[in-house]
mmCIF file of all heavy atoms in Angstrom:
data_model
loop_
_atom_site.group_PDB
_atom_site.id
_atom_site.type_symbol
_atom_site.label_atom_id
_atom_site.label_comp_id
_atom_site.label_asym_id
_atom_site.label_seq_id
_atom_site.Cartn_x
_atom_site.Cartn_y
_atom_site.Cartn_z
ATOM 1 N N ARG A 118 -18.093 6.973 -13.307
ATOM 2 C CA ARG A 118 -18.454 7.026 -11.890
ATOM 3 C C ARG A 118 -18.178 5.792 -11.082
ATOM 4 O O ARG A 118 -17.640 5.792 -10.048
ATOM 5 C CB ARG A 118 -19.948 7.287 -11.809
ATOM 6 C CG ARG A 118 -20.347 8.672 -12.445
ATOM 7 C CD ARG A 118 -21.839 8.907 -12.273
ATOM 8 N NE ARG A 118 -22.285 9.119 -11.044
ATOM 9 C CZ ARG A 118 -22.205 10.414 -10.464
ATOM 10 N NH1 ARG A 118 -21.870 11.499 -11.173
ATOM 11 N NH2 ARG A 118 -22.594 10.589 -9.192
ATOM 12 N N ASN A 119 -18.341 4.617 -11.665
ATOM 13 C CA ASN A 119 -18.020 3.372 -10.908
ATOM 14 C C ASN A 119 -16.515 3.278 -10.802
ATOM 15 O O ASN A 119 -16.152 2.730 -9.686
ATOM 16 C CB ASN A 119 -18.697 2.174 -11.617
ATOM 17 C CG ASN A 119 -18.265 1.976 -13.060
ATOM 18 O OD1 ASN A 119 -17.649 2.908 -13.692
ATOM 19 N ND2 ASN A 119 -18.548 0.948 -13.728
ATOM 20 N N LEU A 120 -15.823 3.608 -11.716
ATOM 21 C CA LEU A 120 -14.375 3.435 -11.637
ATOM 22 C C LEU A 120 -13.804 4.564 -10.563
ATOM 23 O O LEU A 120 -12.983 4.222 -9.725
ATOM 24 C CB LEU A 120 -13.780 3.854 -12.998
ATOM 25 C CG LEU A 120 -12.171 3.435 -13.194
ATOM 26 C CD1 LEU A 120 -12.004 1.981 -12.892
ATOM 27 C CD2 LEU A 120 -11.802 3.756 -14.650
ATOM 28 N N LEU A 121 -14.438 5.684 -10.585
ATOM 29 C CA LEU A 121 -14.072 6.775 -9.620
ATOM 30 C C LEU A 121 -14.433 6.264 -8.224
ATOM 31 O O LEU A 121 -13.565 6.362 -7.288
ATOM 32 C CB LEU A 121 -14.673 8.012 -9.971
ATOM 33 C CG LEU A 121 -14.519 9.247 -8.933
ATOM 34 C CD1 LEU A 121 -13.026 9.506 -8.755
ATOM 35 C CD2 LEU A 121 -15.279 10.467 -9.366
ATOM 36 N N THR A 122 -15.555 5.632 -8.067
ATOM 37 C CA THR A 122 -15.879 5.135 -6.714
ATOM 38 C C THR A 122 -14.957 4.129 -6.227
ATOM 39 O O THR A 122 -14.434 4.142 -5.075
ATOM 40 C CB THR A 122 -17.323 4.381 -6.703
ATOM 41 O OG1 THR A 122 -18.265 5.523 -7.212
ATOM 42 C CG2 THR A 122 -17.725 3.891 -5.486
ATOM 43 N N THR A 123 -14.500 3.181 -7.131
ATOM 44 C CA THR A 123 -13.595 2.128 -6.714
ATOM 45 C C THR A 123 -12.230 2.773 -6.341
ATOM 46 O O THR A 123 -11.652 2.351 -5.357
ATOM 47 C CB THR A 123 -13.312 1.245 -7.973
ATOM 48 O OG1 THR A 123 -14.627 0.671 -8.400
ATOM 49 C CG2 THR A 123 -12.537 -0.049 -7.579
ATOM 50 N N ARG A 124 -11.765 3.710 -7.120
ATOM 51 C CA ARG A 124 -10.412 4.305 -6.877
ATOM 52 C C ARG A 124 -10.448 5.071 -5.608
ATOM 53 O O ARG A 124 -9.494 5.046 -4.792
ATOM 54 C CB ARG A 124 -10.024 5.293 -8.116
ATOM 55 C CG ARG A 124 -9.671 4.512 -9.252
ATOM 56 C CD ARG A 124 -8.479 3.590 -9.174
ATOM 57 N NE ARG A 124 -8.133 2.818 -10.284
ATOM 58 C CZ ARG A 124 -8.604 1.608 -10.632
ATOM 59 N NH1 ARG A 124 -9.413 0.980 -9.635
ATOM 60 N NH2 ARG A 124 -8.323 1.028 -11.604
ATOM 61 N N LEU A 125 -11.531 5.856 -5.327
ATOM 62 C CA LEU A 125 -11.565 6.613 -4.061
ATOM 63 C C LEU A 125 -11.645 5.734 -2.871
ATOM 64 O O LEU A 125 -10.957 5.961 -1.876
ATOM 65 C CB LEU A 125 -12.837 7.597 -4.142
ATOM 66 C CG LEU A 125 -12.698 8.762 -4.996
ATOM 67 C CD1 LEU A 125 -14.221 9.425 -5.093
ATOM 68 C CD2 LEU A 125 -11.782 9.832 -4.461
ATOM 69 N N ASP A 126 -12.399 4.599 -3.039
ATOM 70 C CA ASP A 126 -12.504 3.652 -1.956
ATOM 71 C C ASP A 126 -11.100 3.066 -1.657
ATOM 72 O O ASP A 126 -10.620 2.993 -0.411
ATOM 73 C CB ASP A 126 -13.384 2.549 -2.243
ATOM 74 C CG ASP A 126 -14.886 2.937 -2.182
ATOM 75 O OD1 ASP A 126 -15.195 3.997 -1.716
ATOM 76 O OD2 ASP A 126 -15.759 2.169 -2.604
ATOM 77 N N SER A 127 -10.326 2.733 -2.694
ATOM 78 C CA SER A 127 -8.999 2.187 -2.533
ATOM 79 C C SER A 127 -7.992 3.240 -1.844
ATOM 80 O O SER A 127 -7.221 2.913 -0.980
ATOM 81 C CB SER A 127 -8.329 1.753 -3.894
ATOM 82 O OG SER A 127 -9.101 0.888 -4.510
ATOM 83 N N LEU A 128 -8.179 4.439 -2.237
ATOM 84 C CA LEU A 128 -7.285 5.483 -1.681
ATOM 85 C C LEU A 128 -7.634 5.671 -0.195
ATOM 86 O O LEU A 128 -6.761 6.045 0.604
ATOM 87 C CB LEU A 128 -7.353 6.816 -2.539
ATOM 88 C CG LEU A 128 -6.755 6.781 -3.918
ATOM 89 C CD1 LEU A 128 -7.154 7.916 -4.705
ATOM 90 C CD2 LEU A 128 -5.266 6.525 -3.823
ATOM 91 N N VAL A 129 -8.923 5.661 0.148
ATOM 92 C CA VAL A 129 -9.264 5.844 1.535
ATOM 93 C C VAL A 129 -8.781 4.526 2.336
ATOM 94 O O VAL A 129 -8.139 4.775 3.337
ATOM 95 C CB VAL A 129 -10.826 5.882 1.607
ATOM 96 C CG1 VAL A 129 -11.246 5.771 3.107
ATOM 97 C CG2 VAL A 129 -11.248 7.195 1.119
ATOM 98 N N ALA A 130 -8.873 3.383 1.705
ATOM 99 C CA ALA A 130 -8.518 2.159 2.487
ATOM 100 C C ALA A 130 -6.999 2.143 2.668
ATOM 101 O O ALA A 130 -6.492 1.730 3.641
ATOM 102 C CB ALA A 130 -8.890 0.880 1.718
ATOM 103 N N ALA A 131 -6.305 2.843 1.763
ATOM 104 C CA ALA A 131 -4.738 2.860 1.793
ATOM 105 C C ALA A 131 -4.338 4.008 2.682
ATOM 106 O O ALA A 131 -3.098 4.011 2.955
ATOM 107 C CB ALA A 131 -4.152 2.956 0.395
ATOM 108 N N GLY A 132 -5.241 4.836 3.175
ATOM 109 C CA GLY A 132 -4.751 5.874 4.128
ATOM 110 C C GLY A 132 -4.302 7.078 3.257
ATOM 111 O O GLY A 132 -3.663 8.038 3.942
ATOM 112 N N VAL A 133 -4.511 7.275 2.043
ATOM 113 C CA VAL A 133 -4.051 8.388 1.212
ATOM 114 C C VAL A 133 -5.146 9.436 1.250
ATOM 115 O O VAL A 133 -4.855 10.650 1.354
ATOM 116 C CB VAL A 133 -3.900 7.951 -0.307
ATOM 117 C CG1 VAL A 133 -3.676 9.159 -1.141
ATOM 118 C CG2 VAL A 133 -2.808 6.878 -0.392
ATOM 119 N N MET A 134 -6.419 9.029 1.389
ATOM 120 C CA MET A 134 -7.484 10.110 1.475
ATOM 121 C C MET A 134 -8.379 9.693 2.756
ATOM 122 O O MET A 134 -8.353 8.443 3.155
ATOM 123 C CB MET A 134 -8.310 10.208 0.216
ATOM 124 C CG MET A 134 -7.496 10.538 -1.053
ATOM 125 S SD MET A 134 -8.542 10.770 -2.549
ATOM 126 C CE MET A 134 -8.754 12.598 -2.364
#
Side-chain angles (χ1 to χ4, degrees):
Chain A
R118 300 179 70 88
N119 57 345
L120 195 54
L121 177 57
T122 301
T123 309
R124 290 294 175 271
L125 286 169
D126 287 349
S127 300
L128 290 169
V129 168
V133 171
M134 304 188 90

